[in-house]
Amino acid sequence: MSQTSRDRILGRVRRALAEAPAVREPARAYLTAHAPDDPAALLDLLHENLADYRARVHRATEGELPALVAELLDRHGAATVAVPPGLPPAWLSATTAEQRHDEDTPLTPHDLDGTDAVVTGCALAIAETGTLVLDGGPGQGRRALTLVPDLHICVVRAAEQTVASVPLALPRLDPTRPLTWISGPSATSDIELDRVEGVHGPRTLQVVLVTDA
Amino acid sequence: MSGTFVGMPAFPKAAHDAVRDTTLRANLRHATHTIRDKRAVAVAELADWAALREAGRQIKDRTLHHLDAYLVQLEEAVTAAGGTVHWASDAAEANRIVADLVKATGETEVVKVKSMATQEIGLNEALEAEGIRAYETDLAELIVQLGEDRPSHILVPAIHRNRGEIRDIFASEMGEWGRPAPDGLTDRPAELAEAARLHLREKFLRAKVGVSGANFMVAETGTLVVVESEGNGRMCLTLPETLISVVGIEKVVPTWRDLEVFLQTLPRSSTAERMNPYTSMWTGTTDADGPTAFHLVLLDNGRTDTLADEVGRQALRCIRCSACLNVCPVYERAGGHAYGSVYPGPIGAILTPQLRGTRSELDASLPYASSLCGACYDVCPVAIDIPEVLVHLREKVAERGGPGHRLEKAAVKAAAWVLDHPAALAAGERLASRTRALHPKRLPGPGASQWTESRDLPEMPAEPFRDWWKRNRT
Ligand code: SF4
């Protein structure tokens, strides 16, 4: 049945195109990036665009990171935090929040719903659009981890993980991994176009730009 | 259909049902103008917009030209990644495939991401007939579903509802579907969104089956892409055990790299953002992350007919950004429901009659639901020449014959010529404006009533659209 439909659809496509004139390779006359290739300027742009989409942005050195993470968890009254596999233990070394590791027994959706926050790294950050990309690699975890808890703290290693643009980001990503692109917290404008944050995803996105290697 | 009005309709006159229509019109006007203005700013940020638009057009044209090869490549890649591909010739077949897949899981509930393809095939109703309840999870879709209503905009389906109406719908209906709205719910958007969050989270956490569409499918890698804002999409795509995606065959793009064009043009054209809050990409299934079973249903349902029309096939380039709706003077006044299809506005006026054919009088009248002002073409990020297709479809409707077809043919020929001669178009609009007292108030002929039943026939504007546009835009 579905085999016949497959043949029927492909046959119809071929017949529809029988007379179509040839088309050439698409011209890609657009820019690779719109921002200057200067690390400091890129970082500023990333910072600005993240903040413009209502992420809260901080800068810290690797050494300052644990205290900052602890303070951010505290500030949101987060008593529990989901921890993806491979997250550097140092990042959570200063917090007293209960750590729930998503390892041997994965956290259920209900477990996650009862967890206040999640701390992750990322695969890339795109400066021009203010976007964080997570690919499930070490320190990032399953997609559900950064979705269900209400606070997401995302750490960006600024020097090696910032790219200028979408065209520069794609070649650095592996399409066979599940990818989540995040630009600001969950938002809706469905009610009279008033923007409201946190309909379903985390209401708050805290981004820490780590500025030394 | 006889004596069809083939003038250049522009602005509808004030509604008879003044109160109701005033609300609708005010909502629409506010919404479309807000998005329109923001979009212009977002687009202006990119110095290479014209080149991106041209690349998008060319990529889509090339895809359509080799659509058979890309679909086969996509099928191979999805299958290799652990997914299962199904092919559906029409709505009935797609619905049956999805219903059977859901039944095989033993579940009687599914959570849904907003998807035009599933609306197009009437999936929710088909599932309901099989005893399966489909929950819409996009906030606007939830409003529409609870209100037993129909979407009126591609991007903001409940654009025709204001906060007071939404409050009333939530307060009275949520309890019927699950967790009731909190007592004393007010009409503050944040409170309404919170009520939706609580109502839906309960469903997300127990859902075993998710149903989605997709914005793009990458032939080279088998990757599907869903672009959204709220996170309800992510919930449906990652929490259930089984994911079923119903996607039109035209949504394929050849390469991973091609996304660099559309991920720049879609958000800016659509919500006027540099990037939408969430984009999910997945390839088949992944161990220990997301659904363990993934089914892709490739939908034809009239798309191959559209592909066979050399002028009309460009409608298949559409990436559903809705920019054309927001600039359309006819849409702004008529509202989305008037188009009688899930695809409203200028794109609906050319897509619906091609997907469904023009056998019904409503569908035959859609190519006339335009002022041919060209604003839709100007904003379209894949450069679909909507006015060109409209004129082409008018000609086809006229060719089908019936009383009055000779008149229509002549009129359409004239319109086609006028489109190629901008100065004449401007003059023609002025002439039409001056003679508007002579234009009919309702579409004559039997089928035309369907199109005008729900609202008034656009009245010729007091001034030509182009003049108005120039005056009001700067
Ligand atoms: S026709 Fe163009 S402008 Fe309209 S929704 Fe489709 S892509 Fe967007």
Side-chain angles (χ1 to χ4, degrees):
Chain A
M1 177 178 65
S2 77
Q3 190 58 35
T4 4
S5 290
R6 179 183 192 275
D7 294 344
R8 192 180 316 140
I9 293 169
L10 289 173
R12 291 174 63 99
V13 169
R14 285 172 190 137
R15 276 194 302 283
L17 296 169
E19 314 259 293
V23 282
R24 54 194 174 82
E25 262 316 307
R28 296 181 191 268
Y30 49 86
L31 301 171
T32 308
H34 302 83
D37 191 19
D38 159 39
L42 273 192
L43 190 63
D44 287 344
L45 184 64
L46 174 66
H47 190 139
E48 195 183 307
N49 284 339
L50 281 164
D52 194 32
Y53 282 3
R54 307 198 197 181
R56 323 248 167 101
V57 190
H58 315 266
R59 297 193 190 198
T61 62
E62 189 90 39
E64 293 161 347
L65 185 60
L68 179 59
V69 169
E71 189 207 316
L72 292 174
L73 288 168
D74 247 18
R75 199 186 294 172
H76 290 277
T80 48
V81 56
V83 185
L87 192 83
W91 293 6
L92 292 173
S93 58
T95 182
T96 53
E98 180 204 325
Q99 298 182 24
R100 298 183 172 171
H101 291 260
D102 188 53
E103 310 250 359
D104 305 332
T105 354
L107 299 164
T108 67
H110 280 99
D111 294 340
L112 288 171
D113 192 38
T115 303
D116 299 325
V118 60
V119 177
T120 73
C122 67
L124 276 184
I126 306 171
E128 277 180 16
T129 57
T131 304
L132 309 167
V133 185
L134 274 64
D135 70 356
Q140 299 169 54
R142 294 180 289 137
R143 287 172 285 174
L145 240 56
T146 50
L147 174 63
V148 183
D150 208 22
L151 167 66
H152 179 194
I153 301 175
C154 186
V155 178
V156 183
R157 294 179 187 275
E160 70 262 35
Q161 292 183 322
T162 307
V163 297
S165 65
V166 172
L168 292 173
L170 286 165
R172 286 184 49 173
L173 295 167
D174 176 357
T176 65
R177 308 182 74 106
L179 299 170
T180 306
W181 297 43
I182 298 173
S183 310
S186 155
T188 183
S189 300
D190 281 346
I191 303 166
E192 294 184 19
L193 300 185
D194 271 3
R195 190 177 166 105
V196 179
E197 262 105 54
V199 213
H200 299 301
R203 246 179 282 245
T204 310
L205 175 65
Q206 297 275 9
V207 182
V208 185
L209 306 174
V210 175
T211 48
D212 56 356
Chain B
M1 183 164 20
S2 65
T4 303
F5 176 53
V6 289
M8 300 179 198
F11 306 114
K13 66 187 179 68
H16 291 306
D17 189 350
V19 178
R20 188 157 163 270
D21 269 9
T22 303
T23 307
L24 169 68
R25 198 153 301 168
N27 288 358
L28 275 172
R29 189 186 150 78
H30 169 61
T32 56
H33 282 250
T34 306
I35 305 177
R36 181 198 291 185
D37 297 347
K38 282 173 62 191
R39 176 198 160 275
V41 174
V43 164
E45 267 188 21
L46 298 188
D48 57 341
W49 184 259
L52 282 166
R53 181 179 188 241
E54 180 59 16
R57 181 182 77 77
Q58 292 186 16
I59 290 169
K60 283 284 190 172
D61 272 351
R62 190 171 168 81
T63 312
L64 292 172
H65 193 79
H66 301 284
L67 189 59
D68 51 338
Y70 290 126
L71 288 172
V72 170
Q73 190 187 11
L74 173 76
E75 178 183 47
E76 281 167 10
V78 170
T79 309
T84 308
V85 177
H86 310 259
W87 300 71
S89 295
D90 56 21
E93 188 176 17
N95 287 332
R96 193 172 62 240
I97 291 168
V98 177
D100 287 348
L101 288 169
V102 178
K103 280 190 201 161
T105 66
E107 295 294 318
T108 55
E109 281 180 6
V110 303
V111 285
K112 275 192 69 205
V113 196
K114 170 164 118 73
S115 129
M116 309 215 51
T118 58
Q119 273 165 23
E120 175 191 322
I121 61 175
L123 179 66
N124 292 8
E125 295 76 16
L127 290 178
E128 198 179 315
E130 303 273 349
I132 299 161
R133 202 157 210 198
Y135 293 113
E136 291 294 347
T137 63
D138 172 82
L139 178 55
E141 289 293 343
L142 175 74
I143 295 166
V144 168
Q145 187 175 51
L146 292 175
E148 292 188 359
D149 199 357
R150 291 154 55 96
S152 63
H153 191 281
I154 295 179
L155 178 74
V156 267
I159 203 168
H160 57 290
R161 295 284 196 184
N162 59 29
R163 61 185 73 190
E165 295 175 297
I166 295 168
R167 192 217 78 93
D168 294 345
I169 292 170
F170 278 11
S172 67
E173 302 302 323
M174 267 184 176
E176 294 289 309
W177 290 77
R179 181 172 175 149
D183 288 338
L185 182 68
T186 75
D187 65 0
R188 280 183 48 238
E191 233 181 89
L192 295 170
E194 181 66 18
R197 178 185 177 99
L198 295 170
H199 178 79
L200 286 171
R201 183 153 292 211
E202 174 200 87
K203 295 189 167 61
F204 289 134
L205 295 180
R206 66 162 192 252
K208 296 281 186 286
V209 183
V211 174
S212 82
N215 294 88
F216 306 100
M217 311 184 280
V218 182
E220 174 185 52
T221 60
T223 308
L224 269 76
V225 182
V226 164
V227 169
E228 54 138 356
S229 294
E230 295 176 10
N232 66 302
R234 293 181 64 195
M235 294 272 180
C236 297
L237 299 171
T238 56
L239 295 184
E241 290 162 7
T242 301
L243 172 62
I244 305 166
S245 300
V246 182
V247 189
I249 52 175
E250 82 284 12
K251 291 286 181 91
V252 68
V253 297
T255 67
W256 177 245
R257 184 184 175 188
D258 293 329
L259 294 177
E260 73 188 15
V261 173
F262 301 111
L263 289 180
Q264 293 192 80
T265 53
L266 176 58
R268 287 178 201 260
S269 299
S270 177
T271 49
E273 291 166 303
R274 293 183 194 102
M275 189 64 85
N276 47 287
Y278 295 134
T279 298
S280 296
M281 302 182 184
W282 73 98
T283 305
T285 56
T286 305
D287 288 342
D289 187 348
T292 48
F294 170 57
H295 296 274
L296 172 60
V297 182
L298 293 173
L299 179 70
D300 179 348
N301 204 35
R303 285 160 176 76
T304 48
D305 289 336
T306 309
L307 190 64
D309 186 315
E310 59 183 298
V311 177
R313 70 166 62 111
Q314 58 184 304
L316 297 176
R317 294 205 296 258
C318 176
I319 56 173
R320 312 279 189 260
C321 70
S322 73
C324 58
L325 277 63
N326 297 326
V327 296
C328 178
V330 175
Y331 172 84
E332 182 189 322
R333 283 154 181 84
H337 291 151
Y339 296 80
S341 150
V342 298
Y343 302 106
I347 181 61
I350 61 168
L351 195 56
T352 305
Q354 295 200 83
L355 291 179
R356 300 204 293 219
T358 50
R359 278 174 300 278
S360 94
E361 301 288 356
L362 168 71
D363 291 342
S365 75
L366 284 175
Y368 299 90
S370 166
S371 66
L372 298 182
C373 72
C376 49
Y377 170 63
D378 291 343
V379 296
C380 178
V382 284
I384 299 173
D385 193 339
I386 294 176
E388 180 192 26
V389 182
L390 285 167
V391 171
H392 170 71
L393 293 174
R394 287 180 187 188
E395 193 163 5
K396 283 178 78 172
V397 169
E399 265 165 17
R400 263 197 14 229
H405 70 282
R406 263 180 240 101
L407 176 73
E408 285 170 331
K409 250 181 163 162
V412 166
K413 280 224 179 76
W417 179 84
V418 163
L419 276 181
D420 286 338
H421 300 78
L425 173 60
E429 282 180 348
R430 275 187 206 106
L431 181 66
S433 295
R434 276 203 303 273
T435 59
R436 72 201 158 113
L438 305 173
H439 293 282
K441 293 271 189 280
R442 294 183 67 79
L443 292 176
S449 64
Q450 285 178 46
W451 209 79
T452 44
E453 231 161 36
S454 49
R455 79 267 180 277
D456 300 301
L457 185 67
E459 190 177 72
M460 290 311 298
E463 65 178 321
F465 175 74
R466 286 173 171 226
D467 293 357
W468 175 88
W469 183 251
K470 275 201 203 99
R471 218 166 24 78
N472 283 278
R473 234 180 140 208
T474 39

